[in-house]
Every structure is written in structure tokens, then in C-alpha cells.
Amino acid sequence: MHTTVGIIGGGPAGLLLARLLHLAGVDSVVLESRSRTYVEERQRAGILEQATVDALRAAGAGARMDREGLVHDGIELRFDGRSHRVDFPALAGGRSVMVYAQTEVVKDLVALQLAEGGPLLFEAEVHRVEGAETDRPTLHYTHEGRAQTLSCDYVVGCDGFHGVARDAVPEGLRQTYERTYPYSWLGILADAPPCYDELIYAHSERGFALASMRSPTVSRLYLQVPNGADAADWPDERIWDELDLRLGRPMNRGPVTAKSVLPMRSSVTEPMRHGRVLLAGDAAHIVPPTGAKGLNLAAADVVVLARAFTRLRETGSTELLDGYSDTCLRRVWRAEHFSYFMTTTLHTDPGQSAFETRLQESQLDRISRSRHAAAELAENYVGLPI
Ligand code: APR
Ligand code: PHB
């Protein structure tokens, strides 16, 4: 079998890329190692930047998002016993964000691809990418118990942080920049109306907490917990009590339908291309979830890539493909900085001194008093145009 673009991974990056390529008349095959149900149910983030919303609409995948998504014009910061609202449109040129879960984005893109697009194979695990430096890179994969190969003009690794595509860049040519954090998140989904109509990011002496949502009846809530924490040590009542204390207001309690601990890490692999293998999304970079950049970076990468493949098809020019890594890394590092800033400003490091806590409070106070400081946060939160 041969295709123009072989895509490893059917997460948001791989699915949106396949859809954009289909609309541009470029054929592709998506190989996803997990089942459709697993991919559609995996709980991840839920905040779409304006540019991601625009990309999904342009992909023809915006109808349900526009019906069910919630436009958010700001967030609330809570610190030192008080609250401050950051108004996005007023501070960031009229832009805002949309609350629409990654699970729903993935369901919409899977349905479109299966109905109209090229092959999307589930339970098709890629073991190896061969020939990155040739003009016919090949994917070796297993599907329905049989070893198969797919020859491609180009390969795009959208296979997430634990994927195989990164290994196609020889170790001597790739550099990974990484940071881990001395805390994790305990995340729950609850059948309970959100306690407030915007997201609340709380800095407190008990640690960070975030009140988010999935819909007017479903809350998504997070607590900073120590690394290695076990969700089993957090019965529902303990979680609700801790959320009330850290967020400084009573939550609407309801049945908890999911509970898990998420590690926090920053990582960037450069360059995002070697020969005819390109990396996109979590395969190339991850951010800690504070600031909700992961899904948006993945979407931005593949919008840039789809433009580059369209240019190649229409004019034969590889100029945009050649610039792909540099173009994306500029945005990636901005988001890395912002996610690091939000994380380290809002969490309590277990080894943190009282001096460092006062610095965090001073930074949050500055955001509440300076339009410039608040605009810096707002512009980063709503994201740059792609
Ligand atoms: N062969 C085929 N598929 C693979 C392989 C492989 N060897 N390895 C991984 N995959 C699949 C995974 O099963 C997963 O469905 O690649 C997909 C990668 O998807 P994501 O991890 O969701 O990554 P991405 O599409 O880049 O989306 C980034 O996801 O983790 C969040 O915070 C992140 O929200 C951001 C978004
Ligand atoms: C979420 O709703 O899952 C979410 C929202 C904002 C974040 C991180 C996660 O910063």
C-alpha cells in the first residue's frame, strides 16, 4: 500500500491533519494503535483557543462545537483570600476561548474521517519508521494480527509522548529539553453543575486547585497532590472538602464519574523534522496542563503542516515544509514558557520557602493591578493566530 502522507496516531493531531489534508486533496492513511472507544473516551483537556476553534470550523468539524461549546471571556484567579477576574476580550484584542472537551473534538473528527476521508485504521500499531532520509519512508505496523507495511511520500508522527516517530530522528541530531515538577494533579469529573460560570485557578497555602467544566451539568476539577499520590487515598468527600478550602467557595457536589492522577512535565524535542519524517503535537512537545496549551499546540502544528502539504501539491515547492520546524518551535516555546509560568506561579513546591510564596503572591497581585501584566496573561491564554 502507498499513500502521500502516512500519519502515525489518531489523537487530535493525527485526526485533524488527516481531515485538513483530505479537504486539500492530499491523500493520507492514519494508523492508530488503540481502539476507537479508547481514543474517544480518553479524558484530556477541554479549552480551545480561538485559533483552534477557527481551525476546527475550517475543517468542517465545528457544528457540534458551536452548538454545545461554551465561550469563555475570562478566568478568575484566586490568591491571598481574594479573587481577580482576567477579562480576555478587553485585554487580548477581542479574543476568547471555548470550553469543549478533547473527547468531543476527537469524536467529531473520527466520525468525519470514517464518513468522508481516507483510511483510519484502529488497533494498527506502528513498530518502526524506516527510510526517513529516502523519498519513500515506510511504516512497519501490525493490523488484525498481520505484519504490514505502508510506503509514503512523507510520514507525520502524531503518536504522542510515548510514540515511535521521534526515534526516526537520529539521536545525534536531536536535542530534548525537559523539566519535571515536584507535584501532580488529581483530576475528577463529576455530575454536578460548575460552581461558577468561568474557570477558577487558585493559589493557596494548601496547594493549587482548578475548577473547570465540561458542560453546564458536568464539572472537571483538579487538586495539586504530591508526586506518587494514589487516587485510592482520595475518597470523594476528601476531594470535595479540599476543593472547597483551596477554591474559597463551596463546590456543587455530585457523583464522581472519573478520578485519576496526572504527572506534570515540560518537554521539547528539536528539530521537529528529519528528512521526510515530521513530528506534530505531543510527539514533539508536552506542557504541564496549567494553561491548557497541549491540544492547542497540537492543532497549530497540523494547521501549519496542512498548509505546507497544500503548497507542495499546488506548486511543487517544499519551502513551507522546510520551514515547518522553525515555524512551530517559535509558538511551542512561547507556550512552554507560559505553561511553566502558570504552573510555577500557582503551585506550591514542597520545598518552597515563605519568601518564594510571597513572590508568587506579589506576581498575582501585580496581574490584578496592572493592565499590562494582565494583558500578558490574557494574550498567552487565548493564544496567537496561526
Ligand atoms: N502506532 C500507532 N499509534 C500510536 C503509536 C504507535 N506506535 N503510539 C502512540 N499512538 C497513538 C496513541 O494511541 C494516541 O491515540 O497516537 C495517539 C497520540 O495522541 P495524543 O497523545 O492525544 O497526542 P496528540 O494527538 O499530539 O494530541 C495532543 O493530547 O495529551 C493531550 O495534552 C495533550 O491535549 C493534547 C493533545
Ligand atoms: C480542563 O478543563 O481539563 C482544563 C482546563 C484548564 C486547564 C487545564 C485543564 O488549565
Side-chain angles (χ1 to χ4, degrees), residues 44-47 185 199 201 210 212 214 220 222 289-292:
R44 293 277 181 78
I47 304 290
W185 276 13
L199 270 58
Y201 288 81
L210 168 61
S212 180
R214 290 289 175 267
R220 177 72 169 153
Y222 299 99
T290 335

Side-chain angles (χ1 to χ4, degrees), residues 155-157 166 169 173-174 268-275 277-281 283-285 297 300-302 305 321 324-330 332:
V155 165
V156 182
R166 232 181 2 251
V169 187
L173 297 179
R174 97 176 104 112
V268 181
T269 296
E270 295 186 5
M272 288 169 61
R273 171 191 181 162
H274 179 67
V277 176
L278 302 109
L279 303 175
H285 42 71
L297 280 181
D301 286 352
V302 300
L305 259 186
L321 271 184
Y324 168 70
S325 182
D326 288 346
T327 303
C328 289
L329 284 170
R330 198 168 310 119
V332 166

Side-chain angles (χ1 to χ4, degrees), residues 19-61:
R19 176 66 185 167
L20 293 171
L21 291 178
H22 171 72
L23 295 176
V26 178
D27 66 289
S28 73
V29 173
V30 183
L31 303 176
E32 163 57 52
S33 59
R34 302 290 196 147
S35 69
R36 178 177 180 180
T37 312
Y38 181 91
V39 169
E40 290 186 342
E41 301 300 328
R42 189 168 39 193
Q43 285 304 323
R44 293 277 181 78
I47 304 290
L48 308 182
E49 291 177 3
Q50 185 74 60
T52 304
V53 168
D54 294 344
L56 288 168
R57 286 184 187 141

Side-chain angles (χ1 to χ4, degrees), residues 190-221:
D191 287 334
C195 65
Y196 183 58
D197 56 9
E198 293 182 333
L199 270 58
I200 309 174
Y201 288 81
H203 175 273
S204 91
E205 60 195 12
R206 304 179 69 89
F208 171 74
L210 168 61
S212 180
M213 64 191 73
R214 290 289 175 267
S215 72
T217 55
V218 176
S219 296
R220 177 72 169 153
L221 301 151

